[in-house]
Amino acid sequence: MFSRVLVTGGCGFIGSNFVRFVLNARPDVTVTNVDVLSYSGNLENLRDVEDHPRYSFVRADICEAARMRELMHDVDAVVHFAAESHVDRSILDTSPFIRTNVLGTQTLLDAAVACKVDRFLHVSTDEVYGSLPLDKADMRFTEESAIRPNSPYAASKAASDMLVRAAHHTFGLNTSITRCSNNFGPHQFPEKVIPLFVTNLVEGKKVPLYGDGLNVRDWIHVEDHCEALLAVLERGRAGSVYNIGADNERSNLELTHALLTILGKGPEFIRHVEDRLGHDRRYAIDSSKIQNELGWTATRSQWPDALVSTVDWYVKNPDWWRRIKNGEYRYFHEKMYGNRANASPVTGKA
Ligand code: NAD
Ligand code: DAU
């Protein structure tokens, strides 16, 4: 097993949940977290473990080659989360996505090969597979599905997946790639749909539902994702890809109504806005490979309970999200919507 793990992007949503999960689940593992603290990186996300004897934090950019080689000198394994992660931002400006997601991943792979790191786990996304039709419920993404990314974000993640594949094939690096569906849970940056809608409703504001609201996402609780990642890190086959999901497909309209019900609000709090450009219609994950090979299955993603406890976390932690919404998120919101109440998040047209 691995005793010294380097996590990239550990101050973000999933990375911070993973750092905490590993420290609790593996008493013999030391975690170094390298994060540049971009707009979505937040030291508050790991405040409870910052003095933990098996945890350390380094502020650095994954594109800095010499720094990454230094950090990989004495680690056994790398778990790579660091990324630009929001589809709408990738539509507004693609270049940071190419820099961090593509060049950053390549920089890490080069360092891992040079330092002979034993294991490299690349955290990717189901969005690399593109979109499924709404009227073919039996169709789901498998690890054999074609890579057909539709957004600049998904294209940058697909490119990084190909680089990981090549590092395994050409240099023999012991890699695995995971492709997970939409995560929810505590500490998610409130630009993503669930924390954005919950916090808007708590503030008495309307929620901006894109298009007809019939787009489907397959929701998994972040701790289920973390547990699956640990299973792949420890027991996944070299050169393999594993899909991760919890069989929990919901349309955005269904999700929105569930949130309105939990927070005691009516449908008048929905604001229909123009659709996201290139909006993928449906994601659905077939996770039978990880279930059969590694014996992992989701246990924490059951609705409505998991959604209710997530909403409860945001209700009880207003200081965490208010600081973000009054700070960094405001600039993004202004760029997305301008000052027109019904404007499109992307084109700015009312
Ligand atoms: P996030 O935006 O919350 O966190 C990203 C983290 O990466 C932040 O802490 C940020 O500071 C850091 N980072 C960004 N650029 C960096 C750089 N150049 N150098 C060092 N650190 C940098 O994202 P998230 O939702 O936690 O996603 C984490 C990973 O999981 C991403 O790779 C994403 O593609 C993948 N993923 C996310 C989901 C989801 O539903 N959120 C689902 C599947 C896969
Ligand atoms: O599937 C995994 C992916 O899930 C991850 O790779 C991404 O990092 C993560 O951001 C997420 O991508 P999505 O685009 O699916 O997530 P987002 O929360 O942005 O949107 C979810 C759905 O909600 C999508 O169909 C668009 C819709 N939406 C989103 C926002 C922000 C709205 O209707 N209104 C909104 O304001």
Side-chain angles (χ1 to χ4, degrees), residues 115-324:
C115 297
K116 300 188 171 48
V117 167
D118 295 333
R119 186 95 173 103
F120 190 102
L121 173 55
H122 177 60
V123 181
S124 190
T125 169
D126 62 354
E127 297 202 13
V128 300
Y129 297 124
S131 183
L132 293 167
L134 280 186
D135 60 356
K136 297 212 166 71
D138 55 325
M139 277 181 79
R140 294 191 296 167
F141 298 132
T142 72
E143 291 80 358
E144 306 308 319
S145 299
I147 302 295
R148 291 196 180 101
N150 290 323
S151 71
Y153 159 70
S156 69
K157 291 295 288 188
S160 67
D161 286 16
M162 296 302 111
L163 292 167
V164 174
R165 178 188 155 88
H168 170 69
H169 188 84
T170 304
F171 302 111
L173 189 65
N174 180 349
T175 60
S176 282
I177 297 171
T178 55
R179 298 188 180 134
C180 188
S181 58
N182 285 64
N183 283 223
F184 65 103
H187 291 124
Q188 186 167 28
F189 195 87
E191 63 190 353
K192 309 285 165 59
V193 73
I194 289 183
L196 177 67
F197 281 20
V198 171
T199 58
N200 273 14
L201 292 171
V202 172
E203 289 177 304
K205 294 180 187 159
K206 295 189 179 190
V207 298
L209 187 62
Y210 296 169
D212 60 12
L214 298 182
N215 301 64
V216 168
R217 295 294 182 265
D218 192 353
W219 291 98
I220 183 171
H221 192 274
V222 64
E223 283 179 19
D224 272 334
H225 186 190
C226 292
E227 185 183 60
L229 290 173
L230 190 56
V232 174
L233 176 71
E234 294 180 339
R235 293 179 282 119
R237 278 184 294 118
S240 56
V241 175
Y242 294 93
N243 285 352
I244 301 172
D247 284 332
N248 189 25
E249 286 183 60
R250 311 280 165 180
S251 74
N252 292 336
L253 201 55
E254 190 184 351
L255 166 69
T256 305
H257 279 290
L259 296 174
L260 290 171
T261 304
I262 294 168
L263 288 161
K265 303 279 189 196
E268 68 279 10
F269 277 87
I270 298 178
R271 177 158 62 92
H272 291 278
V273 297
E274 202 183 326
D275 211 352
R276 172 184 276 174
L277 288 182
H279 197 174
D280 282 340
R281 204 52 164 156
R282 172 175 165 245
Y283 303 144
I285 276 281
D286 177 341
S287 56
S288 46
K289 180 177 174 186
I290 188 172
Q291 291 180 30
N292 296 334
E293 267 190 32
L294 305 182
W296 173 85
T297 182
T299 57
R300 303 165 177 86
S301 303
Q302 194 105 16
W303 277 28
D305 302 17
L307 189 62
V308 170
S309 63
T310 296
V311 170
D312 196 46
W313 188 87
Y314 290 94
V315 170
K316 289 192 173 132
N317 290 278
D319 290 350
W320 181 86
W321 53 263
R322 281 217 169 97
R323 256 200 298 279
I324 297 170

Side-chain angles (χ1 to χ4, degrees), residues 93-120:
D93 181 6
T94 303
S95 52
F97 288 74
I98 303 306
R99 184 181 181 279
T100 289
N101 300 2
V102 185
L103 182 61
T105 300
Q106 184 56 45
T107 306
L108 291 171
L109 291 166
D110 290 346
V113 170
C115 297
K116 300 188 171 48
V117 167
D118 295 333
R119 186 95 173 103
F120 190 102

Side-chain angles (χ1 to χ4, degrees), residues 57-79:
F57 170 66
V58 177
R59 184 172 189 178
D61 187 330
I62 59 166
C63 298
E64 291 173 39
R67 206 69 210 288
M68 293 307 113
R69 271 203 304 278
E70 250 170 58
L71 287 171
M72 280 191 212
H73 250 341
D74 57 354
V75 301
D76 317 310
V78 175
V79 184

Side-chain angles (χ1 to χ4, degrees), residues 30-34 50 52 54-58:
T30 299
V31 177
T32 303
N33 168 19
V34 56
E50 67 184 1
H52 196 291
R54 289 183 284 111
Y55 171 74
S56 58
F57 170 66
V58 177

